Amino acid sequence: MTTDQAKPRNQSSSLRRALAVLDHVRDHADARGVSLTRIADDLGISKSTVLRLAQPLIDGDLLTRDRETGWFRLGHGALRLGQAYLSTLDMRSVAADPLRRLQHLVGETCHLVVYEAPDVVYIDKVENEHNVRMASRVGLRMPAYRTAVGKAVLAWLGEDDFQTVVAAGMPARTERTITDPARLAAELERVRLSGYAVDDRENEPEVRCVAAPIFDHTDRAVGALSVSGLTSRMTPARVREVGPMVERAGLEISRVLGSSRPSRRRPDRPRDDTSRHDPHEGNQP
């Protein structure tokens, strides 16, 4: 191999190691930064190598080094890169491929919504392969309290958002619609525990939906995606199968939007979302 042939490979190796230094600072720096010694020890390289790799990053404002302590922090150039990245993101575009993969995987209608208190707004829909189609359409608004997508978002928002939804009214759409704020609060706690929400005939009499939240770069729930189907196909057992799939798709979209939320550890025994004690018992339609 000639010197000219080897040079690009060496440059590529140096670039990868420099990016490893940048990633380490991103993941481990606190308010003071992270020390040269820790970077070298954690990455298994010498301090002189860390300094050599870090210098172009400092020159490009991706890293900064404290003159007194010598510790490293992210530079303002990293913020500019992040802002430039976020400015190009559109949830519908980001979610398009995951939504279509999910639809092919489960064979039911999949929806994408954004949250506009106290409602959710449908911004994309991938139809099922069956003759019976869902009544939803892109642009449709629906109250958050009675939909799986709405509950998936509300479960991760604060008390003010919850009260906004309650104040807007919670009339019954079907005999299974949750109309009591306390019961809705209990339902949202179950959503947080399972990682996904279920609309068990609460919005349409013969339809079950399973939904999971989508988080933005601030880790705020800003939307959701769902799988919807007739109860004859979306049985309780099928809900338990589909729920984790929807949750994973939501996390995939969230990561592209800049969220740092980790995947949840799933309980040893899955929860039966539709055969549990009925949270709607006692509701008045």
Side-chain angles (χ1 to χ4, degrees):
M1 179 180 294
T2 67
T3 302
D4 289 342
Q5 289 173 318
K7 188 175 181 180
R9 177 177 296 180
N10 292 337
Q11 289 176 338
S12 176
S13 175
S14 294
L15 176 59
R16 286 195 297 270
R17 291 198 293 171
L19 291 174
V21 171
L22 184 63
D23 288 345
H24 189 281
V25 175
R26 178 198 64 197
D27 295 337
H28 297 92
D30 55 21
R32 296 179 301 164
V34 60
S35 70
L36 173 62
T37 299
R38 180 174 181 184
I39 297 173
D41 290 347
D42 287 355
L43 296 182
I45 55 180
S46 68
K47 294 181 182 179
S48 61
T49 299
V50 173
L51 292 173
R52 177 175 58 82
L53 296 171
Q55 191 56 54
L57 299 174
I58 293 173
D59 293 342
D61 296 322
L62 297 175
L63 286 182
T64 184
R65 192 180 187 202
D66 190 281
R67 292 184 178 181
E68 294 183 2
T69 66
W71 286 32
F72 293 89
R73 294 191 304 272
L74 291 180
H76 60 82
L79 175 61
R80 292 201 307 271
L81 280 179
Q83 290 173 330
Y85 171 73
L86 292 172
S87 69
T88 66
L89 292 181
D90 169 74
M91 186 187 294
R92 186 175 182 182
S93 299
V94 169
D97 287 343
L99 196 69
R100 278 148 186 76
R101 286 197 300 270
L102 181 63
Q103 195 283 324
H104 289 313
L105 183 64
V106 300
E108 300 289 352
T109 298
C110 293
H111 297 100
L112 178 70
V113 308
V114 292
Y115 180 65
E116 293 185 4
D119 303 325
V120 289
V121 180
Y122 290 78
I123 63 172
D124 204 356
K125 176 182 181 180
V126 185
E127 287 281 10
N128 65 36
E129 300 167 356
H130 307 285
N131 290 329
V132 179
R133 303 297 177 93
M134 298 295 105
S136 58
R137 56 179 172 76
V138 172
L140 180 68
R141 278 183 172 271
M142 202 70 72
Y145 73 94
R146 71 181 193 226
T147 62
V149 281
K151 290 188 287 185
V153 175
L154 284 177
W156 301 102
L157 296 180
E159 181 65 19
D160 288 346
D161 294 278
F162 179 81
Q163 292 302 331
T164 296
V165 168
V166 171
M170 298 174 59
R173 169 85 170 188
T174 75
E175 64 179 12
R176 296 184 62 86
T177 304
I178 298 176
T179 59
D180 176 59
R183 293 185 180 276
L184 178 60
E187 178 73 3
L188 298 182
E189 177 60 26
R190 281 188 284 269
V191 174
R192 288 188 287 271
L193 290 173
S194 68
Y196 56 89
V198 179
D199 156 14
D200 185 10
R201 296 163 286 175
E202 297 160 46
N203 194 54
E204 297 182 57
E206 298 301 323
V207 175
R208 284 195 182 103
C209 302
V210 186
I214 294 173
F215 302 93
D216 68 6
H217 65 286
T218 67
D219 287 336
R220 176 178 170 84
V222 292
L225 75 165
S226 70
V227 171
S228 302
L230 294 177
T231 54
S232 58
R233 297 191 301 269
M234 289 292 287
T235 62
R238 185 58 174 159
V239 165
R240 293 193 299 273
E241 293 173 354
V242 169
M245 301 179 194
V246 181
E247 183 185 6
R248 285 193 294 271
L251 284 173
E252 178 185 353
I253 297 167
S254 299
R255 290 192 189 100
V256 179
L257 291 175
S259 171
S260 58
R261 292 188 66 89
S263 300
R264 283 182 329 100
R265 287 189 61 186
R266 191 159 294 284
D268 293 335
R269 296 183 63 184
R271 180 174 63 86
D272 187 335
D273 294 271
T274 55
S275 62
R276 64 181 184 267
H277 67 280
D278 190 349
H280 314 292
E281 185 178 346
N283 268 347
Q284 297 299 317

